[in-house]
Amino acid sequence: MALAIGIVGLPNVGKSTLFNALAGAAQAQAANYPFCTIDPNLGVVPVPDARLARLAALFRPVKTTFTTLEFVDIAGLVAGASKGEGLGNQFLSHIRQVDAVAHVLRCFEDPDVVHVGGTVDPRGDRDVVETELMLKDLESVEKRRERAQKGTKAQGKAGELARAELALLDRVKAGLEAGTPVRAQPLDAEQRAALADLFLLTAKPVIYIANVDERQLADPADPRVRAVRELAAAEGAEAVVLCGKVEAEIAELPEAERVEFLASLGLEEPGLERLVHAGYRELGLITFFTVGPDECRAWTVRRGALAPQAAGVIHTDFEKGFIKAEVTRCEDLLALGGEAAVKEKGLMRMEGKEYVVQDGDVMHFRFNV
């Protein structure tokens, strides 16, 4: 399943530097002036998973395939972007289709990199960007509301549905006008599904990224970092602290030198890996594996997916003709050193259509088309 995270923020907060490190995309220009990113940059990033690497070492396949996330980097937003200020509306439209939004918040001081607001204030920066996203959503809701209002004049079921839609849109509109993003409004699953085709920007899950300098990276008590963590905690969202410049350096290092470099900074893994994992958690995703001599591969499903749905991620025919799934826990397979030993210990199970896939399952599907 192709999943995407949109990277948003004010100009000069380090978005393009972060994207370059994330996607290794040289085309994302980083410069000390607003609006240097003219087109949205797209990058497909493998999701790091040590379990898949260990499975590949065990099975020695011809090919190893990690699951991926897509990141979309757009031009820096400014106050008035929803009305066309800066590079405006065109860039907000680029993130309508993403599954989640990552707010990059500048926490570092740098006299050589101007801040469009004149002072470094991550909470204030978030408020500017969030306001523009809400204004854009308000515009979308108002357009749909006009159409729904005309539909209320229809007779029978059509008019009834239009009146129900209008009531929902009025409720969402009131929330946005009061400064409440759609994701924080008290809507049930059915109501959110009814709004899905509007692709509202503030309905999407959020990850907050505190972009810091090296000194702040080693200081968890830094007040700006703390402010970002508090923002995230208040929403039940993910917060990731990283240094864009350090991540760019890590991306350029040979694999063998990365561990030592990270250790020198007191880090166990790059911030970008933590960001990718945070994206997985925020989107409610889990990973299952298929293994064999030809390929060891990671696959993505939403938490709570049933076995046939997991089979359908591989191929629609697998879901249509699903019979059973052979399921082994990744930990058991790695600990015992192979499928034969797992079977001998009785740790390989046959599961049916109602089985809920667990993170780390190794699955073989039986199907009939």
Side-chain angles (χ1 to χ4, degrees):
M1 59 198 305
L3 292 159
I5 295 176
I7 302 174
V8 301
L10 295 180
N12 293 349
V13 297
K15 290 192 309 83
S16 292
T17 298
L18 171 64
F19 181 84
N20 285 338
L22 246 175
Q27 73 271 20
Q29 182 186 14
N32 180 25
Y33 54 92
F35 318 125
C36 64
T37 306
I38 302 303
D39 295 311
N41 295 289
L42 306 177
V44 178
V45 181
V47 176
D49 197 317
R51 298 171 300 180
L52 180 60
R54 292 177 64 197
L55 287 169
L58 179 63
F59 284 87
R60 300 178 183 271
V62 174
K63 184 180 180 183
T64 302
T65 306
F66 288 80
T67 189
T68 60
L69 277 178
E70 183 178 275
F71 284 85
V72 184
D73 173 38
I74 68 168
L77 299 173
V78 294
S82 60
K83 302 299 181 185
E85 292 296 324
L87 290 178
N89 282 339
Q90 58 179 311
F91 293 103
L92 287 172
S93 68
H94 289 146
I95 57 170
R96 284 204 177 281
Q97 303 294 328
V98 302
D99 300 282
V101 173
H103 281 254
V104 180
L105 302 174
R106 177 174 168 176
C107 296
F108 64 88
E109 291 279 3
D110 188 337
D112 296 324
V113 180
V114 296
H115 187 289
V116 292
T119 184
V120 177
D121 176 11
R123 187 180 290 272
D125 291 356
R126 190 289 304 260
D127 291 345
V128 170
V129 173
E130 187 86 300
T131 296
E132 293 308 314
L133 299 184
M134 284 194 287
L135 288 171
K136 191 64 177 175
D137 280 352
L138 194 56
E139 181 183 304
S140 299
V141 168
E142 287 173 339
K143 284 181 181 177
R144 175 65 66 85
R145 187 182 177 282
E146 289 174 11
R147 192 176 79 185
Q149 198 163 29
K150 291 176 183 177
T152 60
K153 299 174 184 178
Q155 298 297 314
K157 187 69 172 177
E160 185 180 325
L161 290 172
R163 286 188 288 275
E165 181 183 28
L166 183 62
L168 174 60
L169 292 169
D170 281 343
R171 180 177 174 181
V172 173
K173 179 174 180 285
L176 288 167
E177 289 174 337
T180 304
V182 178
R183 65 181 177 275
Q185 294 187 23
L187 304 172
D188 60 31
E190 185 177 341
Q191 291 169 325
R192 292 188 184 280
L195 296 169
D197 65 345
L198 280 173
F199 301 104
L200 299 175
L201 300 171
T202 66
K204 303 177 189 298
V206 167
I207 301 165
Y208 290 109
I209 302 172
N211 192 10
V212 302
D213 58 28
E214 285 191 48
R215 177 191 58 79
Q216 293 169 302
L217 202 58
D219 181 11
D222 180 87
R224 289 175 181 150
V225 172
R226 189 169 64 247
V228 174
R229 291 194 187 280
E230 289 171 355
L231 275 175
E235 291 192 30
E238 293 280 341
V240 178
V241 181
L242 53 77
C243 174
K245 289 182 178 180
V246 166
E247 298 301 325
E249 289 179 42
I250 293 171
E252 293 178 0
L253 286 175
E255 192 70 36
E257 296 178 21
R258 291 185 184 183
V259 174
E260 185 178 345
F261 181 69
L262 286 167
S264 72
L265 296 170
L267 301 174
E268 294 183 2
E269 62 179 348
L272 297 181
E273 290 191 12
R274 286 183 278 113
L275 172 57
V276 172
H277 291 144
Y280 246 53
R281 290 191 298 272
E282 193 65 47
L283 290 169
L285 305 177
I286 61 171
T287 300
F288 73 92
F289 305 101
T290 53
V291 297
D294 294 327
E295 183 179 30
C296 285
R297 181 163 182 165
W299 303 87
T300 300
V301 291
R302 293 198 181 273
R303 190 173 298 280
L306 301 179
Q309 295 172 311
V313 171
I314 299 174
H315 197 288
T316 53
D317 286 348
F318 285 23
E319 182 172 6
K320 291 175 184 175
F322 179 88
I323 300 172
K324 293 284 184 183
E326 291 182 0
V327 182
T328 305
R329 291 299 300 158
C330 174
E331 295 85 353
D332 293 335
L333 188 56
L334 291 170
L336 294 172
E339 291 179 312
V342 168
K343 288 180 181 178
E344 187 179 323
K345 292 283 188 181
L347 295 173
M348 181 178 286
R349 312 183 311 278
M350 295 298 297
E351 300 287 359
K353 293 183 178 180
E354 300 305 313
Y355 176 68
V356 178
V357 180
Q358 302 299 307
D359 185 58
D361 279 348
V362 178
M363 307 183 78
H364 290 287
F365 296 101
R366 295 185 183 181
F367 66 98
N368 181 30
V369 178

